Amino acid sequence: MRHYCIETYGCQMNVADSELIAGILEDDGWVRATDAHGADLIVVNTCSVRERAADRVVGYLRSLAPLRRARPGLRIVVAGCLPQHLGERLAERLPDVDLFIGPDAYRRLPELVADPSRDPHFALARDRGETYEDLSPLRADGIHAYVSIMRGCDRACTYCAVPFGRGRERSLPAEAAIRATREAVESGFVAVTLLGQAVTSYREGERDFAALLEALAGIPGLCSLRFLAPHPGDLSVRLLEVMRRHPVIARHLHLPLQAGSDRILTAMRRGYTAAEFVDLVARARRTLPEISITTDIIVGFPGESDEDYARTVEVMETVRFDSAFTFAYSPREGTHAQRFLADDVPPEVKQHRLSAVITLQERHSLERYQARIGTTQEVLVEGPARGTPDRLFGRCSDMKAAVFSPGEAEEAEEIRAGEIARVEITAASSHTLKGVRRR
Ligand code: 5AD
Ligand code: SF4
């Protein structure tokens, strides 16, 4: 028997792609190894979005060198955004790799792995039509499944490596998206997250993202329908209305702000102003008062002055996000910003701004989480809480994590992963709600 293992870096899209790769390999007779030491094939699914992510991948691959020497037949494959983005230049840094394969070429993986004639192989041809609609991902056990409904991104934000890794936008036909979601639910996954780099630009003929979401919301047995990540530039009023009509759709929007200065937003080519972003949040909260809004923020973009940075803080103060991923700008090869804009914010200034936005966000998160104390939330149970097995872990409809005690003993036996518990929130940190199950 031939054994494989997959190591995944990067975003949820990559997690979903690794499930697709696992499906392709198992259809070809491969069996999952418990870890890299027992594998005949190691697939490293990579990310190129930030320098740190790329460095970690290169570090991991270098750490495989002794394993490679110890197991002469071992094949190492680098998949995903990094080889697609950097091509043969990556091979110069990684001499031990047998195959570099881009996100449009996964169907060919078994055939390429079986062929040792070229060393290394490069399978980096782009295929604008590839959506893998007919393939079944192999998902880990649990209550939650990813369904990729589109691939690629046409937006060309000036800092962003994604279009280099993932190419042009293409949407899964709506019928295939509905079928994939139905199949996931039928095989026991009660929560589904629809994925796309800018998922709100989904389109198939007349059907836009709001229409697709509405069609999916009616699937019997589905308890929570989520999507990542919308783009503030194409989040429609209709979409908010669809969310309002269907409580099965999570009360959560991950809306990447990136920056609060209009000058920087223009230089990033984000396609909205700070005022438009703030209005959008206000409209979302008017339509769905219980919604949580999370975001991504970059500090230290080329040309970001103290004044520009102060605008980011100002928008954060106005919106008060439920949580945020915060990053210091790093130039990515080939992007407009790397080629044409000087990376002129000194590293210590970037770090200082980053620490300050992290501290500010911690304060806002704590405030937003504590505001839930005293309310009763419907929590979709995922299983025992890590570290405290007498408690359960789950997510509220707005995606906040909740840890709770299951109540009386006989009730505790009743509640299982995939079911919804009514939980009274009694305490909160900036990342987790705590509470007690109520009847
Ligand atoms: N530098 C810093 N952060 C970046 N991101 C994307 N590209 C860069 C970059 N060059 C951040 C953005 C994006 C998130 C996934 O990563 O905030 O939303
Ligand atoms: Fe995901 Fe972008 Fe990283 Fe690719 S480069 S794994 S699309 S975050």
Side-chain angles (χ1 to χ4, degrees):
M1 267 199 297
R2 302 165 300 163
H3 288 86
Y4 74 96
C5 78
I6 306 179
E7 187 76 22
T8 307
Y9 292 83
C11 63
Q12 291 88 347
M13 202 85 184
N14 257 19
V15 174
D17 276 3
S18 289
E19 294 172 348
L20 187 76
I21 292 170
I24 293 171
L25 288 173
E26 298 210 2
D27 276 350
D28 190 50
W30 290 84
V31 177
R32 192 184 286 272
T34 38
D35 61 26
H37 291 272
D40 308 294
L41 170 68
I42 302 176
V43 180
V44 187
N45 195 5
T46 63
C47 171
S48 68
V49 75
R50 286 178 305 276
E51 207 170 343
R52 265 265 211 76
D55 289 346
R56 278 178 51 221
V57 168
V58 171
Y60 174 72
L61 282 160
R62 293 211 168 123
S63 78
L64 293 178
L67 203 63
R68 167 102 191 187
R69 279 194 296 276
R71 288 176 77 99
L74 174 67
R75 319 263 301 151
I76 297 178
V77 174
V78 174
C81 298
L82 206 56
Q84 188 71 60
H85 182 189
L86 299 180
E88 305 207 357
R89 275 163 303 156
L90 184 63
E92 288 159 18
R93 290 169 73 190
L94 298 169
D96 272 341
V97 171
D98 299 286
L99 168 65
F100 293 90
I101 189 166
D104 288 346
Y106 296 149
R107 278 177 204 276
R108 295 183 57 213
L109 188 57
E111 158 211 342
L112 294 168
V113 166
D115 171 12
S117 65
R118 271 166 53 203
D119 188 25
H121 260 305
F122 292 95
L124 304 176
R126 292 184 193 277
D127 180 352
R128 265 199 84 169
E130 182 60 280
T131 58
Y132 299 109
E133 69 170 289
D134 53 323
L135 297 183
S136 300
L138 198 82
R139 302 185 172 101
D141 290 342
I143 64 152
H144 171 256
Y146 289 121
V147 174
S148 299
I149 59 160
M150 56 178 300
R151 304 178 69 86
C153 184
D154 284 353
R155 277 200 169 257
C157 301
T158 56
Y159 52 81
C160 188
V162 168
F164 297 85
R166 295 203 162 258
R168 303 299 302 270
E169 252 169 51
R170 67 236 66 163
S171 296
L172 198 65
E175 290 318 314
I178 295 168
R179 198 181 337 115
T181 307
R182 219 182 260 285
E183 279 172 10
V185 176
E186 280 163 6
S187 47
F189 297 98
V190 294
V192 168
T193 302
L194 308 174
L195 293 179
Q197 241 69 48
V199 77
T200 35
S201 38
Y202 176 91
R203 178 160 285 283
E204 192 219 10
E206 291 299 293
R207 192 124 44 159
D208 65 0
F209 181 66
L212 177 67
L213 199 64
E214 181 135 55
L216 296 175
I219 291 180
L222 183 60
C223 294
S224 174
L225 179 59
R226 310 154 180 181
F227 56 88
L228 280 174
H231 189 286
D234 52 25
L235 194 135
S236 64
V237 173
R238 274 189 50 241
L239 175 59
L240 294 173
E241 286 300 325
V242 168
M243 291 175 74
R244 192 172 57 76
R245 277 202 295 280
H246 298 279
V248 70
I249 303 171
R251 272 32 190 157
H252 171 229
L253 285 172
H254 183 73
L255 277 182
L257 166 68
Q258 311 300 6
S261 146
D262 289 342
R263 211 174 63 79
I264 298 296
L265 286 169
T266 304
M268 288 177 162
R269 290 207 194 120
R270 287 292 289 171
Y272 52 83
T273 62
E276 283 164 350
F277 185 94
V278 169
D279 280 352
L280 181 63
V281 171
R283 194 182 314 131
R285 286 183 173 149
R286 264 198 313 276
T287 314
L288 299 152
E290 70 282 30
I291 202 163
S292 75
I293 310 246
T294 59
T295 200
D296 293 344
I297 286 171
I298 299 175
V299 295
F301 187 79
E304 187 186 70
S305 65
D306 287 341
E307 182 57 29
D308 293 317
Y309 165 69
R311 298 278 83 78
T312 297
V313 170
E314 198 173 281
V315 176
M316 290 175 74
E317 292 277 16
T318 307
V319 170
R320 302 183 112 74
F321 294 104
D322 292 82
S323 72
F325 295 108
T326 47
F327 309 101
Y329 170 75
S330 65
R332 306 309 294 137
E333 211 165 306
T335 58
H336 177 92
Q338 182 263 339
R339 291 169 63 204
F340 303 111
L341 306 175
D343 182 16
D344 56 0
V345 178
E348 60 280 9
V349 175
K350 280 185 192 168
Q351 273 318 310
H352 184 262
R353 288 177 187 169
L354 185 62
S355 314
V357 293
I358 290 171
T359 307
L360 180 64
Q361 184 54 48
E362 277 291 304
R363 189 150 61 71
H364 291 163
S365 295
L366 187 63
E367 186 184 295
R368 301 281 303 168
Y369 277 61
Q370 285 185 337
R372 296 283 195 245
I373 295 175
T375 65
T376 299
Q377 300 286 322
E378 296 204 331
V379 176
L380 180 60
V381 180
E382 293 188 15
R386 225 181 290 151
T388 46
D390 58 324
R391 284 164 192 251
L392 292 167
F393 173 85
R395 285 192 188 273
C396 304
S397 168
D398 73 350
M399 297 300 290
K400 286 188 174 68
V403 170
F404 61 99
S405 60
E408 299 305 314
E410 65 268 29
E411 289 174 48
E413 280 156 30
E414 281 169 29
I415 194 98
R416 286 191 302 259
E419 293 179 348
I420 290 179
R422 284 171 50 77
V423 176
E424 185 186 330
I425 306 303
T426 52
S429 69
S430 55
H431 298 279
T432 314
L433 301 175
K434 296 186 184 88
V436 190
R437 185 177 167 219
R438 296 284 181 229
R439 277 251 178 230

